[in-house]
Structures are given as structure tokens and as C-alpha cells.
Amino acid sequence: MSKPALYYATLSPPSRAVLLTAKAIGLDLELRPINLLNGEHLTPEFLKLNPQHTIPTLIDGEATIIDSHAICAYLVEKYGQKEQQLYPKDLVQRANVDARLHLDSGHLFARLRFLYEPILYYGSTDCSIDKIAYIQKCWEILEGFLKDQPYLCGSDLTIADFCAVATVTSVNDVAPIDEFKFPKVHAWLKRLAELPYYQEVNGDGADELKSIFKAKLAENRGK
């Protein structure tokens, strides 16, 4: 039986969320890197595979699955029988995980993209206080969810934590998280960073993305 194949980029927070999930369930993926900055996700071949031209994209047998949140849920459902707490079967618990996944896609990652994409791809120099403050409003939301629990959905680590941490750690240099205002967020980040596979799978890629963003912003402003 062939391994599931993942089109991904280490610069991509959603890709890293899927890689964190795969590591957590002990799943070996066939990794197929895509260079986003060179536009490899816009080639005719990739558009045929995924008309939305997003990564990650998962190929598992005859199935093609797009969107990191859907992929994470799928992998736990199919391959994570011993780690079901990552995407629980209980209807209420699962609904809470789904809600936090929508928090990532609709707020966390959407606001990161609103800041990063024009600078990385279109030569923008707009890294305004307003855009940064718009991202930082999310820290208040996360602090609220983490007020009385170690993870976003309670006492157990879930795929919602993987998706959110991949995004947060990709933008927390330009949009700092005040440790006095948001101590629970800082504790959550530290907790996730202690996972044995965290640095290799998420930390390094997040640091690389932040470095590229800073360099590209400086380059754009120097033109």
C-alpha cells in the first residue's frame, strides 16, 4: 500500500499543521515539496490537481483532499486510531475542535495572509500598525480560550492546536504577543514547543518564513 502523498512547503503554516498531525499519529507521508515563491503551485499540472492552487494538498489513493484543516481531520480519522483525542468522536468535543479550526482559517491565518501576501508576492511596503493590531486582536481571543485549560479545546491536545500554533508562530515577530497581557498564550506556545518533533516540523519553518518576510519587506522598501 502506497503512502499518502503531501504537496507542501515548509514556509506554509497550513503545511506545517498537517506535518505536526502526521508526526503525532506516527504516519509516514511521501513529501512532495512545492516552491511557493517560484509559483510552482500555479503550474497547469498543479492546477489540474487542485484548482484552488493551495497547499497543502493530499493524495491518498484515488482521493485528493485540499485545505489543511480537512486534511488533518482526515488523517486522524483514517490513520490515527490510537490518537482519537486529536479529533474526538464525541459530537460536542468535535464541534469545539471544528470551531477552533474555523478560528484559524477565518481569523488567524486570514490576518497573517492579509499582511504577508502583498509584501511577499506583490512588492508592497505596507506593514502598518493597523494591520499588526488586527492580528494582535487574535491574541485576546486565544487568551480567552486558554484561560482555564492547557489547550484550545480543553485538557487534550487536538489538531486545532496544531493548526493555530503553526500560524501564530509564523507571525509573532511582527505582531508580538505581550507576555504580561497574554500569559496563557505564552504558556501554550511553550507547551507545544516541548513536543519532541515540534522544532523540526514547525519551529524551523516558522523562523524561515519570518526571516524571508523581513528581508522581502526591506527589499521592497529599498526600491
Side-chain angles (χ1 to χ4, degrees), residues 110-213:
R111 297 182 193 197
L112 175 151
R113 187 173 180 179
F114 183 56
L115 174 64
Y116 274 25
E117 188 172 286
I119 291 168
L120 292 175
Y121 294 102
Y122 304 113
S124 173
T125 60
D126 182 11
C127 187
S128 66
I129 293 176
D130 288 345
K131 283 189 173 183
I132 293 170
Y134 191 48
I135 294 170
Q136 289 174 314
K137 287 183 180 294
C138 291
W139 308 157
E140 299 175 15
I141 298 171
L142 294 177
E143 186 74 11
F145 283 125
L146 293 164
K147 183 177 180 181
D148 299 312
Q149 56 193 31
Y151 299 106
L152 290 177
C153 297
S155 58
D156 290 327
L157 177 69
T158 72
I159 59 173
D161 295 289
F162 290 150
C163 292
V165 79
T167 302
V168 171
T169 55
S170 295
V171 75
N172 60 333
D173 277 4
V174 68
I177 305 170
D178 189 313
E179 64 179 320
F180 297 104
K181 288 184 179 179
F182 310 116
K184 300 296 185 180
V185 176
H186 272 267
W188 171 74
L189 290 172
K190 183 178 179 180
R191 197 170 293 119
L192 269 292
E194 290 171 351
L195 294 170
Y197 46 82
Y198 173 88
Q199 186 60 36
E200 177 187 0
V201 175
N202 184 66
D204 292 345
D207 290 343
E208 184 182 6
L209 176 59
K210 289 183 285 192
S211 294
I212 289 175
F213 171 80

Side-chain angles (χ1 to χ4, degrees), residues 14-89:
S15 292
R16 286 185 264 112
V18 172
L19 294 173
L20 285 168
T21 300
K23 280 289 187 181
I25 63 176
L27 177 65
D28 191 19
L29 297 170
E30 177 189 336
L31 298 178
R32 300 178 181 178
I34 293 288
N35 191 316
L36 292 171
L37 298 179
N38 288 343
E40 292 180 2
H41 59 305
L42 301 174
T43 63
E45 295 79 13
F46 193 80
L47 288 172
K48 184 177 180 181
L49 186 67
N50 177 0
Q52 197 171 329
H53 57 77
T54 56
I55 61 167
T57 295
L58 182 79
I59 308 297
D60 190 16
E62 299 297 317
T64 299
I65 302 172
I66 63 175
D67 184 86
S68 59
H69 309 89
I71 294 170
C72 289
Y74 172 85
L75 292 179
V76 175
E77 278 286 298
K78 185 171 182 180
Y79 297 104
Q81 291 84 0
K82 295 181 180 180
E83 293 83 16
Q84 286 297 313
Q85 76 282 357
L86 290 171
Y87 194 53
K89 297 284 189 183

